[in-house]
Amino acid sequence: MSNLEQFKINLKSLAEGMSVINLDLDNAYFEAIDAPVVRQGNLKCTLAINCIDSVFDMDFHIEGSVTLPCDICLDDMEQEVLSDNHLVAKLGDDYSEEDDEVTVPENEGILNVAWFIYQFIEFDIPLRHVHAPGKCNPAMMKVLQEHSAVRSGDGDGDQAMDSRWEALRNIEIKE
């Protein structure tokens, strides 16, 4: 299991000026944060933090690939990720998040960036995950085509339409 301690940034210990932190994001990372969409991946994150008067400008550069199920054939597929994001952190009384600004309680001074990094990755992934044309699982594509033909009525006619769908055909729409 990934040690998420490396994602906890002690803002109070950072010196004025630029600091750079390199983070590796692997399957253990995604498991440790209990990621809802991405469960596997191999990415590198470079976090550049510029500290000026207790304001922390953070630039995240994330690149690599994640493994997702194809929306069509359900086989795993690789999705490239290349993401650049910005976050501003400052010390204050209570924890709060607004847009791209985070306030961290001054008495703690610790900002856990693990979930922010995951969100940046997830936002970079297209909504529709599909293999390149011709790369889907051929067996699954055949089954999908057979079911599509039956649903559309283009099938061989031997299979009767589901009675629930047949009943919907008889509904009249009044405008």
Side-chain angles (χ1 to χ4, degrees), residues 6 9 11 44 47 56 73-75 80 82 89 95 105 131 134 141 150 157 159 165 171 175:
Q6 64 182 336
I9 311 297
L11 300 175
K44 301 232 182 274
L47 172 56
F56 306 88
C73 71
L74 302 178
D75 279 0
E80 294 297 317
L82 179 59
Y95 184 87
H131 284 107
M141 294 306 295
V150 169
Q159 295 182 355
W165 294 112
I171 294 176
E175 292 184 28

Side-chain angles (χ1 to χ4, degrees), residues 86-106:
H86 183 78
L87 187 68
V88 176
K90 62 182 182 177
L91 299 173
D93 294 330
D94 296 317
Y95 184 87
S96 70
E97 292 179 29
E98 289 201 26
D99 296 326
D100 63 348
E101 186 173 296
V102 178
T103 303
V104 177
E106 192 164 2

